[in-house]
Amino acid sequence: MQRRSFLKSAALGTAGLWAGLPGTGLPRAEAAGLPKLKITKIRYYGAPGYNKPLFNQARGIVEIETDGGLIGIGEGGSKDMIEQCAQMMIGENPFRIEHLWQSLYRGMFYPPGREKLHALGALEMALWDLKGKALGVPVYELLGGATRDYVECYATGFRASKAKTEEDRARDCIEAGLRSYRIGPTGGNGETPFDFYENAKKTIDFCKRIDAAVGGGGKWAIDLHTRFDTTEGVKICKAIENLEPYFVEDIVRSENPAVYQTVRQMTTVPIAVGEQFGDRWDINEFIEQRLIDYTRVTLPNTGGITELKKIASLCETHYAGMIPHFTGPLSTAALVHVLGSSSPTRCLMELAGGEPERPEYFNEDYVSFRNGKLYLNPNPGLGVTFNPKKATFIMEVTTKTQFPHPVLKSPDGSIHNW
């Protein structure tokens, strides 16, 4: 019954919103159809079959439950990181998403590292899912509504192909409707020592073969994986400029943005950076100084949907595109909501193997993928249904932290550093 009342309130539309104007006596949250809820439980599950239980590549499933029975789901974060953040959220209003993000980001004195951002991104994702369900609308509507009908995709590898050569696999990928086929440099795996000079030459030749196979036109891209020093990285870029790849990723190591001031002056290839990064302060100098053409930041690594939306605004301001790194299945679904409601700046989504994953613990139609493109999901929240019986239960958090850090608020109630 409570769920029905939420949707009824949401369906009131304009009439309900007028009820929340000053002088009516009703709070705006009620006018928008949002119930008064508190977070009571946060559960964490392991994703069956995923064999990378790493701090910054975890794919745990998060459920945030309220006292009204509504549940939102998110993805990412290690157990310890999720547990500490979750303890700060118990008893809080789940609809104050930005407020909770600021509290978790700044509330333990130390600025969060990328591992904590990963957990924060999972929890914030679940808050958006919960809010969309409460209002009966998809997340992309809450983010401003659709700005595109679909998001183009490119493939790293292509599972649907039985081709024996990389050239044939690339052709099959393009024929399947994907925008581009991504390759990597030669060498660098296994026990064989990596010879920079030799592999730079082989990589240039490889690029020429792939370009010829797909017919140019930006139908291929390359990730250099930060394997090369500046000399060889730039050598490869200059040699393939006339081939016009869609992008060249991670030409050199990117911890120091200033190095890309040098690289940018030495090549005209479109540069993509950011898959190893987190929030906007990791990537802002690259965007603002036009050192790159595309960001590779993704979910949940950025710290959440709101943070990625802010990065999208940075990109629009400085005419940079967005090409998020491939990620977990739920995060892939969330990316479509963000990219599908952001500025019409150029964007692509990476799919490992050239198609979305289909985990048993999500509904089969959790994403809409056809002809190499991902389409907006019109169902409430993220449009994803989670079956916890098909995942591995790890923990449940129901109590507030016993070690709260002091909180500093300004007179208007906003959070500031302590």
Side-chain angles (χ1 to χ4, degrees):
M1 292 298 294
Q2 190 175 24
R3 168 67 174 158
R4 272 188 212 153
S5 69
F6 299 163
L7 296 177
K8 183 178 179 182
S9 296
L12 289 175
T14 305
L17 290 174
W18 278 108
L21 290 174
T24 65
L26 290 175
R28 290 186 181 274
E30 285 185 18
L34 289 172
K36 292 182 178 179
L37 296 180
K38 290 185 178 180
I39 297 170
T40 56
K41 300 175 184 178
I42 297 178
R43 289 179 289 272
Y44 182 70
Y45 299 83
Y50 184 67
N51 59 3
K52 281 188 177 182
L54 306 176
F55 280 122
N56 55 352
Q57 293 183 23
R59 285 197 190 174
I61 307 300
V62 173
E63 283 189 319
I64 296 181
E65 185 172 341
T66 67
D67 54 358
L70 271 179
I71 297 175
I73 56 172
E75 178 183 68
S78 65
K79 174 184 177 296
D80 290 346
M81 295 293 180
I82 291 288
E83 186 171 22
Q84 177 175 301
C85 291
Q87 289 173 352
M88 298 174 67
M89 299 173 69
I90 299 298
E92 297 293 329
N93 180 347
F95 303 129
R96 297 186 68 187
I97 297 176
E98 177 72 26
H99 172 78
L100 286 173
W101 191 91
Q102 294 289 338
S103 176
L104 294 172
Y105 189 95
R106 306 167 74 175
M108 285 294 184
F109 184 67
Y110 292 103
R114 291 171 185 169
E115 290 78 10
K116 182 178 176 181
L117 277 172
H118 206 269
L120 176 51
L123 292 162
E124 196 257 14
M125 189 186 300
L127 293 175
W128 277 106
D129 181 55
L130 196 154
K131 194 166 190 174
K133 289 174 178 174
L135 289 169
V137 297
V139 167
Y140 69 80
E141 290 289 3
L142 300 178
L143 297 174
T147 56
R148 62 182 91 233
D149 298 326
Y150 56 79
V151 180
E152 287 188 313
C153 302
Y154 77 94
T156 295
F158 190 58
R159 282 191 294 267
S161 174
K162 297 181 180 180
K164 294 182 179 180
T165 70
E166 197 80 9
E167 292 91 331
D168 287 339
R169 189 174 295 110
R171 274 190 289 265
D172 290 346
C173 169
I174 301 304
E175 289 174 2
L178 288 110
R179 178 63 181 82
S180 195
Y181 182 74
R182 198 220 73 174
I183 61 175
T186 62
N189 296 312
E191 299 297 324
T192 304
F194 186 77
D195 184 287
F196 297 102
Y197 186 81
E198 178 184 358
N199 283 291
K201 290 176 62 178
K202 289 182 177 179
T203 296
I204 292 167
D205 180 65
F206 185 31
C207 290
K208 292 177 180 178
R209 298 200 319 266
I210 295 297
D211 181 74
V214 298
K219 296 176 184 176
W220 65 280
I222 184 168
D223 180 2
L224 297 185
H225 286 294
T226 72
R227 294 180 189 172
F228 296 95
D229 292 329
T230 306
T231 301
E232 284 76 22
V234 171
K235 179 193 298 183
I236 294 170
C237 290
K238 290 189 71 64
I240 64 175
E241 284 176 351
N242 65 317
L243 302 179
E244 299 182 342
Y246 201 109
F247 62 86
V248 180
E249 180 182 353
D250 288 342
I251 298 168
V252 294
R253 291 176 59 178
S254 50
E255 292 92 339
N256 175 13
V259 73
Y260 272 89
Q261 294 177 0
T262 301
V263 173
R264 176 57 112 183
Q265 299 301 315
M266 300 177 74
T267 181
T268 61
V269 296
I271 299 173
V273 168
E275 73 174 67
Q276 300 168 337
F277 289 177
D279 58 35
R280 81 199 89 145
W281 291 283
D282 273 346
I283 196 72
N284 71 301
E285 290 185 46
F286 289 88
I287 299 171
E288 292 164 355
Q289 297 179 29
R290 288 292 299 154
L291 304 180
I292 60 175
D293 298 279
Y294 299 103
T295 67
R296 296 280 284 137
V297 293
T298 192
L299 293 174
N301 308 49
T302 59
I305 288 173
T306 310
E307 187 68 7
L308 188 59
K309 187 75 171 176
K310 292 177 180 179
I311 293 172
S313 294
L314 275 175
C315 288
E316 180 180 10
T317 304
H318 299 280
Y319 313 112
M322 300 186 72
I323 305 181
H325 183 259
F326 76 84
T327 184
L330 180 56
S331 298
T332 296
L335 281 171
V336 181
H337 286 268
V338 179
L339 297 179
S341 62
S342 298
S343 72
T345 187
R346 186 182 298 184
C347 71
L348 280 179
M349 280 182 59
E350 179 180 15
L351 294 177
E355 58 188 9
E357 297 180 45
R358 300 287 181 183
E360 292 186 355
Y361 47 84
F362 291 147
N363 49 307
E364 176 67 20
D365 60 347
Y366 82 101
V367 290
S368 176
F369 177 74
R370 57 186 185 273
N371 299 323
K373 302 170 182 64
L374 281 164
Y375 289 79
L376 292 168
N377 187 333
N379 295 313
L382 295 173
V384 182
T385 302
F386 171 56
N387 184 350
K389 294 181 179 179
K390 294 188 177 182
T392 305
F393 176 78
I394 294 177
M395 69 171 179
E396 180 178 86
V397 175
T398 58
T399 58
K400 197 83 170 175
T401 178
Q402 298 180 24
F403 306 99
H405 197 276
V407 176
L408 179 67
K409 292 184 178 180
S410 67
D412 64 8
S414 58
I415 293 175
H416 289 261
N417 283 9
W418 177 69

